[in-house]
Amino acid sequence: MTATQNIPTPAQPARRSRAKPFNWKAWQPYLLAAPQTIVFLLFLVLPIAAIVTVSFWNFNGFAMTPGFTLNNYLGIFTSKVYLSTYLNTFKFAFLVWSVCLLISYPVAYFLSFHIKNPKWQTIWFLICTVPFLTSNIIRMISWIPFLGREGLINNALMGLHLTQKPVEIFLFSDFSVVLAMVHLYALFMVAPIFNSMVRIDRNLVAAAEDAGASPFQIQKEIILPLSAPGIAIGSIFVITLVMGEFATMRIMSGGKSSSVGYLIKNQLDSLQYPMAAANAVVLLIIALIIVFSILRVVDIRKEL
Amino acid sequence: MAEMKKKPLSHYLLAGFFGLFVLFLYGPMFAVFLLSLQGPEGQLTFPMRGFSFYWLGAVFGEQRVGNFVEAFWRSLTLGLIVMVITVIFSVMAGLAFRSRFKGSNLVFYLTISSLIVPSILVSLGIGIVFGLVGIDNQWYSSALAGHLTWTLPFAFLIMLGIFGRFNPAYEEAARDLGASETTTFWQVVFPLIASSVVGVGLLGFTLSYDEFTRTSLISGETNTLPLEIFGMTTNVTSPALYALGTLTTIFSFVLIGVALFAIQALANRQSKPKQG
């Protein structure tokens, strides 16, 4: 329809209008990319610069004042409380990351290699993504009926006479924190691994089978290396998400456990901006170190 | 049947594992659905005490669950604003990235890095900047800024994928026939990407509607819905909390359904002229 409408238009004026604004053509990509770029300059780069600046400011117990002091950083590196909070954050990041990986790899493998019909592949994958489109906070509290003192797990254990008293460790413990975080973030691992596995040339696998490779060898020599970029992207996601967490930490540990994110949130509630900013800078540097070490091991560019 | 017999044991083990994973994802949500349908004496745990819509109704009674209705409207409005901006900016950026331009790598990494920076830092940083410049933190100012740093990178990556698969022959044909740049975009390019654009819009909306961490420090004196719910976790100990969870989850599902329907309708319309 549209094509036939356009046929009567003489080609001459169109060509002229294309040739005349020569600069427009050259500037077009810049103008098109500008709005998005400005958003990130204003709301990502500038804020991080502001955090770095404020982390060197003074805090007198009531308000922050511009200045230059290393006291905030000295405070972090000399305090046992801070250091143990950082260690605790690493512990959770590592635990959640490893559980997510152990779950996501077989899930992605099943979806991409065992479900042959691309339509069903997409449908099953979408079914996995649906819960991730609902509120994190709601998905977190939905574990309470399972894990609490009178929750389903304890009822089942007592029903089976495996225990006399309700077991307290399910809720408000490290266990519940890791469980909830895996529940919240597993998709961020499944999706990139699935994405790289789907692209693996099936002929490679067939060739390896014909050459007599065992299923284990095929995993180790072909599928694992070729899905490594997806694993890397997923790992970056999960680790940075867990490192900056505070809501799950507060709700699921019942305030018993702490993390750097939770620490920053508490410092802000008591208006200690410079101290919170210093912690944010340290957290950011650690996150960047982790991201860059992953990128050194795996080249994710072919994935993008 | 013959095909089924060939499947090795590992297939069934993996299928079982996958089934458990889906159960793990959905199980808790269904528990919350069920528990929000209890009678008035309901508790936060099983067994269910009676069956009624009492708690779903209680959500709308103000003293029980704080002011949820206003928070819902705020989140809805914010989500729609974020959706529109996200779609426009990411389609523009996607178009820009079809040609290699100087600095495109920089723009690319700038966008992607937004996903890598821990969310609480974005929230803290925007709060500090708005504070220093003297603009009030509000859900429609600072929180909007924070949401865009979360929705735009995802939308941008999807748009890159869409334009990566896009066949430029259609546009060349349109241009050869004398269509202007604008006509080519609206008559040729846009209809082809329309269904994906709906998907990007839905993703932008839901990411914003459910966003918590990036909103947490910069929503000003009024809460968005996720912040309101987070606040309730400390002081609401009745199934009203679950009822609220059920209602907002249903709302999300309805939206997903509407969007999928729209995508399907657009895809059908797209394929019809070809057959005719």
mmCIF file with all atom_site columns, all heavy atoms in Angstrom, chain A residues 118-133:
data_model
loop_
_atom_site.group_PDB
_atom_site.id
_atom_site.type_symbol
_atom_site.label_atom_id
_atom_site.label_alt_id
_atom_site.label_comp_id
_atom_site.label_asym_id
_atom_site.label_entity_id
_atom_site.label_seq_id
_atom_site.pdbx_PDB_ins_code
_atom_site.Cartn_x
_atom_site.Cartn_y
_atom_site.Cartn_z
_atom_site.occupancy
_atom_site.B_iso_or_equiv
_atom_site.pdbx_formal_charge
_atom_site.auth_seq_id
_atom_site.auth_comp_id
_atom_site.auth_asym_id
_atom_site.auth_atom_id
_atom_site.pdbx_PDB_model_num
ATOM 1   N N   . PRO A 1 118 ? 11.638 -24.647 18.849 1.00 0.00 ? 118 PRO A N   1
ATOM 2   C CA  . PRO A 1 118 ? 11.965 -23.276 19.260 1.00 0.00 ? 118 PRO A CA  1
ATOM 3   C C   . PRO A 1 118 ? 10.789 -22.559 19.901 1.00 0.00 ? 118 PRO A C   1
ATOM 4   O O   . PRO A 1 118 ? 10.961 -21.735 20.793 1.00 0.00 ? 118 PRO A O   1
ATOM 5   C CB  . PRO A 1 118 ? 12.351 -22.588 17.946 1.00 0.00 ? 118 PRO A CB  1
ATOM 6   C CG  . PRO A 1 118 ? 12.632 -23.669 16.985 1.00 0.00 ? 118 PRO A CG  1
ATOM 7   C CD  . PRO A 1 118 ? 11.856 -24.871 17.416 1.00 0.00 ? 118 PRO A CD  1
ATOM 8   N N   . LYS A 1 119 ? 9.570  -22.892 19.440 1.00 0.00 ? 119 LYS A N   1
ATOM 9   C CA  . LYS A 1 119 ? 8.400  -22.248 20.006 1.00 0.00 ? 119 LYS A CA  1
ATOM 10  C C   . LYS A 1 119 ? 8.252  -22.604 21.486 1.00 0.00 ? 119 LYS A C   1
ATOM 11  O O   . LYS A 1 119 ? 8.045  -21.743 22.325 1.00 0.00 ? 119 LYS A O   1
ATOM 12  C CB  . LYS A 1 119 ? 7.164  -22.687 19.215 1.00 0.00 ? 119 LYS A CB  1
ATOM 13  C CG  . LYS A 1 119 ? 5.943  -21.841 19.499 1.00 0.00 ? 119 LYS A CG  1
ATOM 14  C CD  . LYS A 1 119 ? 4.756  -22.319 18.682 1.00 0.00 ? 119 LYS A CD  1
ATOM 15  C CE  . LYS A 1 119 ? 3.469  -21.977 19.393 1.00 0.00 ? 119 LYS A CE  1
ATOM 16  N NZ  . LYS A 1 119 ? 2.345  -22.755 18.843 1.00 0.00 ? 119 LYS A NZ  1
ATOM 17  N N   . TRP A 1 120 ? 8.410  -23.905 21.796 1.00 0.00 ? 120 TRP A N   1
ATOM 18  C CA  . TRP A 1 120 ? 8.293  -24.335 23.189 1.00 0.00 ? 120 TRP A CA  1
ATOM 19  C C   . TRP A 1 120 ? 9.453  -23.817 24.029 1.00 0.00 ? 120 TRP A C   1
ATOM 20  O O   . TRP A 1 120 ? 9.290  -23.519 25.214 1.00 0.00 ? 120 TRP A O   1
ATOM 21  C CB  . TRP A 1 120 ? 8.167  -25.853 23.284 1.00 0.00 ? 120 TRP A CB  1
ATOM 22  C CG  . TRP A 1 120 ? 6.758  -26.263 23.030 1.00 0.00 ? 120 TRP A CG  1
ATOM 23  C CD1 . TRP A 1 120 ? 6.271  -26.842 21.896 1.00 0.00 ? 120 TRP A CD1 1
ATOM 24  C CD2 . TRP A 1 120 ? 5.646  -26.076 23.913 1.00 0.00 ? 120 TRP A CD2 1
ATOM 25  N NE1 . TRP A 1 120 ? 4.921  -27.025 22.007 1.00 0.00 ? 120 TRP A NE1 1
ATOM 26  C CE2 . TRP A 1 120 ? 4.512  -26.568 23.231 1.00 0.00 ? 120 TRP A CE2 1
ATOM 27  C CE3 . TRP A 1 120 ? 5.493  -25.534 25.195 1.00 0.00 ? 120 TRP A CE3 1
ATOM 28  C CZ2 . TRP A 1 120 ? 3.239  -26.535 23.807 1.00 0.00 ? 120 TRP A CZ2 1
ATOM 29  C CZ3 . TRP A 1 120 ? 4.228  -25.496 25.768 1.00 0.00 ? 120 TRP A CZ3 1
ATOM 30  C CH2 . TRP A 1 120 ? 3.126  -26.000 25.065 1.00 0.00 ? 120 TRP A CH2 1
ATOM 31  N N   . GLN A 1 121 ? 10.621 -23.721 23.396 1.00 0.00 ? 121 GLN A N   1
ATOM 32  C CA  . GLN A 1 121 ? 11.769 -23.129 24.087 1.00 0.00 ? 121 GLN A CA  1
ATOM 33  C C   . GLN A 1 121 ? 11.418 -21.737 24.589 1.00 0.00 ? 121 GLN A C   1
ATOM 34  O O   . GLN A 1 121 ? 11.616 -21.410 25.760 1.00 0.00 ? 121 GLN A O   1
ATOM 35  C CB  . GLN A 1 121 ? 12.918 -23.001 23.088 1.00 0.00 ? 121 GLN A CB  1
ATOM 36  C CG  . GLN A 1 121 ? 14.105 -23.845 23.435 1.00 0.00 ? 121 GLN A CG  1
ATOM 37  C CD  . GLN A 1 121 ? 15.153 -23.774 22.336 1.00 0.00 ? 121 GLN A CD  1
ATOM 38  O OE1 . GLN A 1 121 ? 15.194 -22.845 21.537 1.00 0.00 ? 121 GLN A OE1 1
ATOM 39  N NE2 . GLN A 1 121 ? 16.008 -24.765 22.317 1.00 0.00 ? 121 GLN A NE2 1
ATOM 40  N N   . THR A 1 122 ? 10.861 -20.933 23.687 1.00 0.00 ? 122 THR A N   1
ATOM 41  C CA  . THR A 1 122 ? 10.489 -19.564 24.052 1.00 0.00 ? 122 THR A CA  1
ATOM 42  C C   . THR A 1 122 ? 9.414  -19.564 25.120 1.00 0.00 ? 122 THR A C   1
ATOM 43  O O   . THR A 1 122 ? 9.497  -18.812 26.095 1.00 0.00 ? 122 THR A O   1
ATOM 44  C CB  . THR A 1 122 ? 9.974  -18.797 22.816 1.00 0.00 ? 122 THR A CB  1
ATOM 45  O OG1 . THR A 1 122 ? 10.869 -19.061 21.735 1.00 0.00 ? 122 THR A OG1 1
ATOM 46  C CG2 . THR A 1 122 ? 9.895  -17.331 23.075 1.00 0.00 ? 122 THR A CG2 1
ATOM 47  N N   . ILE A 1 123 ? 8.410  -20.421 24.956 1.00 0.00 ? 123 ILE A N   1
ATOM 48  C CA  . ILE A 1 123 ? 7.312  -20.437 25.918 1.00 0.00 ? 123 ILE A CA  1
ATOM 49  C C   . ILE A 1 123 ? 7.803  -20.807 27.316 1.00 0.00 ? 123 ILE A C   1
ATOM 50  O O   . ILE A 1 123 ? 7.520  -20.120 28.293 1.00 0.00 ? 123 ILE A O   1
ATOM 51  C CB  . ILE A 1 123 ? 6.199  -21.399 25.456 1.00 0.00 ? 123 ILE A CB  1
ATOM 52  C CG1 . ILE A 1 123 ? 5.497  -20.812 24.218 1.00 0.00 ? 123 ILE A CG1 1
ATOM 53  C CG2 . ILE A 1 123 ? 5.187  -21.648 26.577 1.00 0.00 ? 123 ILE A CG2 1
ATOM 54  C CD1 . ILE A 1 123 ? 4.476  -21.730 23.587 1.00 0.00 ? 123 ILE A CD1 1
ATOM 55  N N   . TRP A 1 124 ? 8.610  -21.869 27.404 1.00 0.00 ? 124 TRP A N   1
ATOM 56  C CA  . TRP A 1 124 ? 9.115  -22.273 28.722 1.00 0.00 ? 124 TRP A CA  1
ATOM 57  C C   . TRP A 1 124 ? 10.016 -21.210 29.328 1.00 0.00 ? 124 TRP A C   1
ATOM 58  O O   . TRP A 1 124 ? 9.989  -20.953 30.527 1.00 0.00 ? 124 TRP A O   1
ATOM 59  C CB  . TRP A 1 124 ? 9.855  -23.613 28.644 1.00 0.00 ? 124 TRP A CB  1
ATOM 60  C CG  . TRP A 1 124 ? 8.916  -24.777 28.638 1.00 0.00 ? 124 TRP A CG  1
ATOM 61  C CD1 . TRP A 1 124 ? 8.686  -25.636 27.606 1.00 0.00 ? 124 TRP A CD1 1
ATOM 62  C CD2 . TRP A 1 124 ? 8.069  -25.204 29.715 1.00 0.00 ? 124 TRP A CD2 1
ATOM 63  N NE1 . TRP A 1 124 ? 7.738  -26.562 27.970 1.00 0.00 ? 124 TRP A NE1 1
ATOM 64  C CE2 . TRP A 1 124 ? 7.349  -26.322 29.258 1.00 0.00 ? 124 TRP A CE2 1
ATOM 65  C CE3 . TRP A 1 124 ? 7.838  -24.732 31.019 1.00 0.00 ? 124 TRP A CE3 1
ATOM 66  C CZ2 . TRP A 1 124 ? 6.420  -26.996 30.062 1.00 0.00 ? 124 TRP A CZ2 1
ATOM 67  C CZ3 . TRP A 1 124 ? 6.915  -25.401 31.820 1.00 0.00 ? 124 TRP A CZ3 1
ATOM 68  C CH2 . TRP A 1 124 ? 6.222  -26.516 31.333 1.00 0.00 ? 124 TRP A CH2 1
ATOM 69  N N   . PHE A 1 125 ? 10.815 -20.580 28.460 1.00 0.00 ? 125 PHE A N   1
ATOM 70  C CA  . PHE A 1 125 ? 11.688 -19.522 28.971 1.00 0.00 ? 125 PHE A CA  1
ATOM 71  C C   . PHE A 1 125 ? 10.857 -18.363 29.518 1.00 0.00 ? 125 PHE A C   1
ATOM 72  O O   . PHE A 1 125 ? 11.126 -17.849 30.605 1.00 0.00 ? 125 PHE A O   1
ATOM 73  C CB  . PHE A 1 125 ? 12.639 -19.031 27.877 1.00 0.00 ? 125 PHE A CB  1
ATOM 74  C CG  . PHE A 1 125 ? 13.530 -17.914 28.330 1.00 0.00 ? 125 PHE A CG  1
ATOM 75  C CD1 . PHE A 1 125 ? 14.578 -18.166 29.198 1.00 0.00 ? 125 PHE A CD1 1
ATOM 76  C CD2 . PHE A 1 125 ? 13.308 -16.607 27.924 1.00 0.00 ? 125 PHE A CD2 1
ATOM 77  C CE1 . PHE A 1 125 ? 15.396 -17.143 29.655 1.00 0.00 ? 125 PHE A CE1 1
ATOM 78  C CE2 . PHE A 1 125 ? 14.114 -15.579 28.372 1.00 0.00 ? 125 PHE A CE2 1
ATOM 79  C CZ  . PHE A 1 125 ? 15.164 -15.850 29.232 1.00 0.00 ? 125 PHE A CZ  1
ATOM 80  N N   . LEU A 1 126 ? 9.792  -17.989 28.780 1.00 0.00 ? 126 LEU A N   1
ATOM 81  C CA  . LEU A 1 126 ? 8.935  -16.900 29.246 1.00 0.00 ? 126 LEU A CA  1
ATOM 82  C C   . LEU A 1 126 ? 8.246  -17.266 30.558 1.00 0.00 ? 126 LEU A C   1
ATOM 83  O O   . LEU A 1 126 ? 8.069  -16.423 31.430 1.00 0.00 ? 126 LEU A O   1
ATOM 84  C CB  . LEU A 1 126 ? 7.895  -16.530 28.175 1.00 0.00 ? 126 LEU A CB  1
ATOM 85  C CG  . LEU A 1 126 ? 8.451  -15.773 26.972 1.00 0.00 ? 126 LEU A CG  1
ATOM 86  C CD1 . LEU A 1 126 ? 7.352  -15.494 25.960 1.00 0.00 ? 126 LEU A CD1 1
ATOM 87  C CD2 . LEU A 1 126 ? 9.094  -14.456 27.415 1.00 0.00 ? 126 LEU A CD2 1
ATOM 88  N N   . ILE A 1 127 ? 7.865  -18.543 30.691 1.00 0.00 ? 127 ILE A N   1
ATOM 89  C CA  . ILE A 1 127 ? 7.237  -18.980 31.936 1.00 0.00 ? 127 ILE A CA  1
ATOM 90  C C   . ILE A 1 127 ? 8.190  -18.751 33.110 1.00 0.00 ? 127 ILE A C   1
ATOM 91  O O   . ILE A 1 127 ? 7.787  -18.340 34.193 1.00 0.00 ? 127 ILE A O   1
ATOM 92  C CB  . ILE A 1 127 ? 6.802  -20.458 31.824 1.00 0.00 ? 127 ILE A CB  1
ATOM 93  C CG1 . ILE A 1 127 ? 5.563  -20.543 30.926 1.00 0.00 ? 127 ILE A CG1 1
ATOM 94  C CG2 . ILE A 1 127 ? 6.523  -21.064 33.201 1.00 0.00 ? 127 ILE A CG2 1
ATOM 95  C CD1 . ILE A 1 127 ? 5.072  -21.938 30.640 1.00 0.00 ? 127 ILE A CD1 1
ATOM 96  N N   . CYS A 1 128 ? 9.481  -18.973 32.861 1.00 0.00 ? 128 CYS A N   1
ATOM 97  C CA  . CYS A 1 128 ? 10.459 -18.719 33.922 1.00 0.00 ? 128 CYS A CA  1
ATOM 98  C C   . CYS A 1 128 ? 10.607 -17.237 34.239 1.00 0.00 ? 128 CYS A C   1
ATOM 99  O O   . CYS A 1 128 ? 10.962 -16.862 35.357 1.00 0.00 ? 128 CYS A O   1
ATOM 100 C CB  . CYS A 1 128 ? 11.833 -19.251 33.534 1.00 0.00 ? 128 CYS A CB  1
ATOM 101 S SG  . CYS A 1 128 ? 11.908 -21.027 33.419 1.00 0.00 ? 128 CYS A SG  1
ATOM 102 N N   . THR A 1 129 ? 10.351 -16.373 33.233 1.00 0.00 ? 129 THR A N   1
ATOM 103 C CA  . THR A 1 129 ? 10.584 -14.946 33.484 1.00 0.00 ? 129 THR A CA  1
ATOM 104 C C   . THR A 1 129 ? 9.411  -14.253 34.167 1.00 0.00 ? 129 THR A C   1
ATOM 105 O O   . THR A 1 129 ? 9.602  -13.227 34.794 1.00 0.00 ? 129 THR A O   1
ATOM 106 C CB  . THR A 1 129 ? 10.865 -14.183 32.170 1.00 0.00 ? 129 THR A CB  1
ATOM 107 O OG1 . THR A 1 129 ? 9.727  -14.327 31.315 1.00 0.00 ? 129 THR A OG1 1
ATOM 108 C CG2 . THR A 1 129 ? 12.084 -14.712 31.463 1.00 0.00 ? 129 THR A CG2 1
ATOM 109 N N   . VAL A 1 130 ? 8.213  -14.833 34.052 1.00 0.00 ? 130 VAL A N   1
ATOM 110 C CA  . VAL A 1 130 ? 7.019  -14.165 34.582 1.00 0.00 ? 130 VAL A CA  1
ATOM 111 C C   . VAL A 1 130 ? 7.135  -13.780 36.066 1.00 0.00 ? 130 VAL A C   1
ATOM 112 O O   . VAL A 1 130 ? 6.862  -12.631 36.427 1.00 0.00 ? 130 VAL A O   1
ATOM 113 C CB  . VAL A 1 130 ? 5.754  -14.998 34.300 1.00 0.00 ? 130 VAL A CB  1
ATOM 114 C CG1 . VAL A 1 130 ? 4.589  -14.540 35.145 1.00 0.00 ? 130 VAL A CG1 1
ATOM 115 C CG2 . VAL A 1 130 ? 5.386  -14.911 32.827 1.00 0.00 ? 130 VAL A CG2 1
ATOM 116 N N   . PRO A 1 131 ? 7.589  -14.695 36.958 1.00 0.00 ? 131 PRO A N   1
ATOM 117 C CA  . PRO A 1 131 ? 7.666  -14.290 38.360 1.00 0.00 ? 131 PRO A CA  1
ATOM 118 C C   . PRO A 1 131 ? 8.603  -13.106 38.591 1.00 0.00 ? 131 PRO A C   1
ATOM 119 O O   . PRO A 1 131 ? 8.441  -12.360 39.546 1.00 0.00 ? 131 PRO A O   1
ATOM 120 C CB  . PRO A 1 131 ? 8.224  -15.535 39.062 1.00 0.00 ? 131 PRO A CB  1
ATOM 121 C CG  . PRO A 1 131 ? 7.904  -16.658 38.162 1.00 0.00 ? 131 PRO A CG  1
ATOM 122 C CD  . PRO A 1 131 ? 7.959  -16.100 36.769 1.00 0.00 ? 131 PRO A CD  1
ATOM 123 N N   . PHE A 1 132 ? 9.562  -12.927 37.699 1.00 0.00 ? 132 PHE A N   1
ATOM 124 C CA  . PHE A 1 132 ? 10.514 -11.840 37.879 1.00 0.00 ? 132 PHE A CA  1
ATOM 125 C C   . PHE A 1 132 ? 9.916  -10.487 37.507 1.00 0.00 ? 132 PHE A C   1
ATOM 126 O O   . PHE A 1 132 ? 10.557 -9.460  37.679 1.00 0.00 ? 132 PHE A O   1
ATOM 127 C CB  . PHE A 1 132 ? 11.784 -12.111 37.068 1.00 0.00 ? 132 PHE A CB  1
ATOM 128 C CG  . PHE A 1 132 ? 12.550 -13.272 37.614 1.00 0.00 ? 132 PHE A CG  1
ATOM 129 C CD1 . PHE A 1 132 ? 12.233 -14.563 37.250 1.00 0.00 ? 132 PHE A CD1 1
ATOM 130 C CD2 . PHE A 1 132 ? 13.559 -13.072 38.546 1.00 0.00 ? 132 PHE A CD2 1
ATOM 131 C CE1 . PHE A 1 132 ? 12.920 -15.642 37.784 1.00 0.00 ? 132 PHE A CE1 1
ATOM 132 C CE2 . PHE A 1 132 ? 14.244 -14.135 39.073 1.00 0.00 ? 132 PHE A CE2 1
ATOM 133 C CZ  . PHE A 1 132 ? 13.923 -15.423 38.699 1.00 0.00 ? 132 PHE A CZ  1
ATOM 134 N N   . LEU A 1 133 ? 8.697  -10.505 36.980 1.00 0.00 ? 133 LEU A N   1
ATOM 135 C CA  . LEU A 1 133 ? 8.041  -9.244  36.665 1.00 0.00 ? 133 LEU A CA  1
ATOM 136 C C   . LEU A 1 133 ? 7.142  -8.779  37.809 1.00 0.00 ? 133 LEU A C   1
ATOM 137 O O   . LEU A 1 133 ? 6.414  -7.812  37.661 1.00 0.00 ? 133 LEU A O   1
ATOM 138 C CB  . LEU A 1 133 ? 7.221  -9.388  35.374 1.00 0.00 ? 133 LEU A CB  1
ATOM 139 C CG  . LEU A 1 133 ? 8.070  -9.627  34.115 1.00 0.00 ? 133 LEU A CG  1
ATOM 140 C CD1 . LEU A 1 133 ? 7.186  -9.922  32.923 1.00 0.00 ? 133 LEU A CD1 1
ATOM 141 C CD2 . LEU A 1 133 ? 8.948  -8.435  33.820 1.00 0.00 ? 133 LEU A CD2 1
#
